[in-house]
Amino acid sequence: QVQFVESGGGLVQPGGSLRLSCAASVGIFRFVNMAWYRQTPRNQREWVATITTTGNTNYADFVKGRFTISRDNGKNTVYLQMNSLKLEDAADYFCNVPSIQRNWGQGTQVTVSS
């Protein structure tokens, strides 16, 4: 069964940085695109970034230029480097295979506060 374990969240001041990690128990990890999503209590889950099997990346406009998605196929892990964090970036962050989007993990909470 596919599982995702997100980590790396925490409390950070506006303008700060965090690096999120997601370990995926996907046997074919290196052959699937991976994505990060986020969700706040008031909003539906929204897409943040995607990295393809060949390393191409795409970002939502609201994080473009601030966040960087990367992957390590040897570790079945996808990362999200978040810089210049804003108050509105506070959310629970999740990773998943964008073409599947099931078996969601617990997520990792990012709090941005001064």
Side-chain angles (χ1 to χ4, degrees):
Q1 183 174 351
V2 175
Q3 290 185 322
F4 304 97
V5 180
E6 299 90 353
S7 63
L11 172 63
V12 63
Q13 293 184 340
S17 298
L18 283 173
R19 188 192 193 208
L20 307 184
S21 299
C22 172
S25 64
V26 178
I28 55 171
F29 180 85
R30 66 179 62 246
F31 299 116
V32 296
N33 298 342
M34 291 296 299
W36 281 96
Y37 303 83
R38 70 186 188 186
Q39 185 171 17
T40 65
R42 295 184 182 85
N43 299 326
Q44 292 184 345
R45 187 175 289 128
E46 60 183 0
W47 168 73
V48 175
T50 298
I51 185 166
T52 69
T53 57
T54 57
N56 292 324
T57 57
N58 285 294
Y59 300 92
D61 287 343
F62 52 80
V63 304
K64 199 170 293 184
R66 300 187 298 121
F67 291 12
T68 302
I69 187 171
S70 61
R71 64 190 296 162
D72 185 335
N73 290 337
K75 296 181 178 179
N76 277 21
T77 299
V78 61
Y79 304 96
L80 187 67
Q81 177 67 45
M82 306 188 298
N83 299 328
S84 302
L85 282 161
K86 303 177 180 180
L87 294 174
E88 54 264 40
D89 293 320
D92 291 327
Y93 284 74
F94 303 83
C95 74
N96 214 303
V97 178
S99 60
I100 299 176
Q101 295 192 51
R102 64 176 182 225
N103 296 340
W104 294 91
Q106 293 296 311
T108 186
Q109 186 174 53
V110 173
T111 303
V112 184
S113 176
S114 55

